[in-house]
Amino acid sequence: MELRHLRYFLAVAEELNFSRAAARLHIAQPPLSVQIRSLERHLGAALFLRQGRTVRLTKEGEAFLVEARRILNLADSAKQVVHRASTGQAGTLHIAGIAHAFWQILPLTVTRFRTTNPDVTIDLAEVDTAEALVRLRDRVVDIALVRAGAADDDLALRPLKKELLAAVVPATHPLATRARVDIAELAGEPFVMPSRSVSPYYHDQVVMALLNAGIPSRIAFEGSTIQSQIGFVACGLGVTLAPTSARMLRTQGAVWVPLAESVLLTEIAAVWLRDSPSALVRSFLRTLDVVYGPEDAPPLPGSEESIDT
């Protein structure tokens, strides 16, 4: 028994006339009659009473009509689900993001995405950059929000946000009372650095900022997260440079001091497998374009603390 048999049966059951049912189905009447008899033989029961030109449903036919309609409705619904999935309107989108992505980018983007794609289930995971790329290449996640310099040739990258760096010093440090500090004044200080094994790009960006200022980094501690870096600073173990958006992580004992010069740190980018962007990924990227502007657009005006692209 195939779906077409159910559609043939439904047409006859609703028209109670083989000629009108055949016209509705755009087929000749004899083949329709043959298909209905074949269905009845398959079911082992007569579905219609035929008395001259009068056609009525049998008790078995009335019972089968309920199930036939239910099955056809389910089939139509399944077809719609597949269509919505193929166009990025349904399914499950798996996203991995570093902690920084959860401060602003994901809340803004996911909230907007869900309003326009209510049938898409969002699965979020907070991981470090290295783990996010592993999951992406293993196809455990569909898209990842990581440090911008982390992508390789097999990954496509969509830059999202650039931020300025600021100095973070212990509350007891002489620089803690300053309105601004020149980065060169950090020379000789023990530095709390982002862990290179967890986030090599972020680590290298901070090192480069120091080298550009003529300061060789003297690494005292490494933190696997920005939170832990600031925590080490609060304990008086050194100073650090951190993106200004992390000021929301207020930690007693650590003081944020703006740098006198603008030192940019490329923070977050969306990355996905270059060879197979799914419809869901493309749909999510369109939402990123709405929130952050098209990828090739010039930088949007921002505060002195943050530049969105």
Side-chain angles (χ1 to χ4, degrees), residues 52-307:
R53 294 184 178 182
T54 302
V55 177
R56 291 188 296 111
L57 282 167
T58 63
K59 293 296 183 181
E60 293 84 353
E62 290 175 353
F64 187 64
L65 178 59
V66 173
E67 294 303 312
R69 281 177 172 154
R70 185 179 65 84
I71 293 169
L72 290 173
N73 287 336
L74 286 173
D76 289 341
S77 177
K79 182 178 179 180
Q80 292 172 14
V81 167
V82 170
H83 172 72
R84 291 176 66 80
S86 69
T87 56
Q89 301 175 67
T92 300
L93 181 63
H94 302 274
I95 305 172
I98 60 174
H100 198 156
F102 285 85
W103 298 349
Q104 183 186 63
I105 295 175
L106 282 171
L108 288 175
T109 308
V110 170
T111 299
R112 188 179 188 101
F113 182 81
R114 292 183 68 190
T115 62
T116 55
N117 301 272
D119 295 331
V120 175
T121 300
I122 301 293
D123 177 59
L124 292 174
E126 180 189 338
V127 296
D128 59 56
T129 294
E131 176 62 21
L133 296 183
V134 169
R135 294 189 185 192
L136 192 61
R137 290 190 172 100
D138 288 344
R139 302 181 187 271
V140 175
V141 299
D142 304 300
I143 191 166
L145 273 66
V146 297
R147 304 292 176 188
D152 295 323
D153 291 342
D154 60 330
L155 301 176
L157 180 146
R158 198 281 193 208
L160 294 174
K161 190 177 182 71
K162 292 181 180 180
E163 288 190 289
L164 299 177
L165 286 174
V168 187
V169 302
T172 57
H173 196 283
L175 296 176
T177 58
R178 296 275 295 278
R180 291 184 180 276
V181 62
D182 191 297
I183 192 171
E185 294 181 79
L186 301 176
E189 296 283 352
F191 263 84
V192 179
M193 298 291 287
S195 171
R196 197 176 194 286
S197 63
V198 172
S199 188
Y201 179 72
Y202 179 29
H203 175 98
D204 292 348
Q205 285 291 94
V206 173
V207 170
M208 186 60 64
L210 294 173
L211 290 177
N212 288 341
I215 304 173
S217 58
R218 186 158 67 90
I219 302 176
F221 292 91
E222 287 194 348
S224 59
T225 65
I226 293 177
Q227 292 95 320
S228 63
Q229 289 172 239
I230 297 172
F232 286 144
V233 171
C235 291
L237 301 178
V239 302
T240 193
L241 296 176
T244 52
S245 66
R247 289 197 307 180
M248 63 185 294
L249 303 171
R250 299 188 182 278
T251 303
Q252 186 174 356
V255 175
W256 289 78
V257 185
L259 294 175
E261 60 281 285
S262 296
V263 180
L264 281 175
L265 171 70
T266 301
E267 275 295 296
I268 308 295
V271 295
W272 63 97
L273 290 175
R274 188 182 298 276
D275 65 349
S276 59
S278 68
L280 282 173
V281 169
R282 293 194 297 270
S283 181
F284 190 76
L285 290 172
R286 286 194 294 270
T287 302
L288 285 172
D289 283 344
V290 172
V291 175
Y292 288 94
E295 181 180 352
D296 57 355
L300 298 174
S303 68
E304 66 174 358
E305 297 179 357
S306 177
I307 301 175

